[in-house]
Amino acid sequence: MSLKLRVFFDNHCQESIRNQIKSILHEVFRNIIYIFYETELLNRYSYNSARSQFDASLILTILNKKSPKDYFLGVVSEDIFVDGLNFVFGVAQIGKGAVISTFRLGFSSDESLFKLRLEKTIKHELGHVFGLEHCTNNCVMRFANSLYELDLKPNSYCSKCYKYLKSVNVF
């Protein structure tokens, strides 16, 4: 049985980025049925003017309401944060959904490096959605809080994480 994932692109997400994300999803998570939407995910309620960033936890709340029964992934192009961190590339709720931001991934610099960073971020956050915690192995599920750390970690799951995701039928 295939899993269903609703993918919500914020209205301001560039078409080229939407296409890259669709390609990554179809290549990596082959047993998932995708439903794509374009919608408003960023609003004045989720914006923190003192930080000039959007609160990822509030965006997750918005997405939970838009997709109460299915897994979800939200994609925004603005800077996001969670309490306790300066910024995040993404954040997830295990068993429910995630939001990622392309803001800090270097879209305008190197297209292939941007796509690699995007793929790592998607794999990491969806790994959480489907039940994985952070991993200490040489794995895409390692925590990264800087581009340097994101670039250092591999683009693949370790054998333990891969085996788990295979068991829940995402590959």
Side-chain angles (χ1 to χ4, degrees), residues 9-19 77 102 107:
F9 295 108
D10 184 69
N11 290 339
H12 303 289
C13 187
Q14 294 181 19
E15 184 176 356
S16 63
I17 293 173
R18 288 194 309 266
N19 290 336
S77 56
T102 62
F107 177 68

Side-chain angles (χ1 to χ4, degrees), residues 2-25:
S2 293
L3 301 172
K4 189 186 309 182
L5 181 75
R6 295 181 186 272
V7 181
F8 297 91
F9 295 108
D10 184 69
N11 290 339
H12 303 289
C13 187
Q14 294 181 19
E15 184 176 356
S16 63
I17 293 173
R18 288 194 309 266
N19 290 336
Q20 286 183 10
I21 290 169
K22 288 176 183 179
S23 173
I24 290 167
L25 289 171

Side-chain angles (χ1 to χ4, degrees), residues 39-66:
T39 187
E40 187 67 42
L41 294 177
L42 304 172
N43 59 42
R44 63 186 174 108
Y45 301 109
S46 62
Y47 185 71
N48 183 312
S49 58
R51 295 179 65 130
S52 298
Q53 293 173 296
F54 289 87
D55 187 328
S57 299
L58 294 176
I59 298 168
L60 281 175
T61 300
I62 292 167
L63 289 166
N64 264 314
K65 290 177 184 174
K66 290 180 178 289

Side-chain angles (χ1 to χ4, degrees), residues 9 13 16-25 28-29 73-76 89 100-107 110-126 140 147 150-151 155:
F9 295 108
C13 187
S16 63
I17 293 173
R18 288 194 309 266
N19 290 336
Q20 286 183 10
I21 290 169
K22 288 176 183 179
S23 173
I24 290 167
L25 289 171
V28 175
F29 299 100
L73 174 66
V75 181
V76 299
F89 298 115
I100 65 167
S101 168
T102 62
F103 185 81
R104 293 182 182 258
L105 299 179
F107 177 68
D110 178 337
E111 188 176 332
S112 62
L113 181 59
F114 171 79
K115 187 173 182 185
L116 180 61
R117 289 171 173 167
L118 183 61
E119 184 172 339
K120 289 179 184 182
T121 302
I122 290 168
K123 286 179 175 179
H124 182 93
E125 297 308 333
L126 288 183
V140 74
L147 281 179
L150 181 62
D151 290 342
N155 189 29

Side-chain angles (χ1 to χ4, degrees), residues 149-169:
E149 291 172 340
L150 181 62
D151 290 342
L152 278 181
K153 72 180 181 177
N155 189 29
S156 58
Y157 297 101
C158 68
S159 60
K160 180 181 147 208
C161 291
Y162 182 86
K163 182 187 255 186
Y164 171 80
L165 290 174
K166 186 106 171 123
S167 76
V168 296
N169 202 33

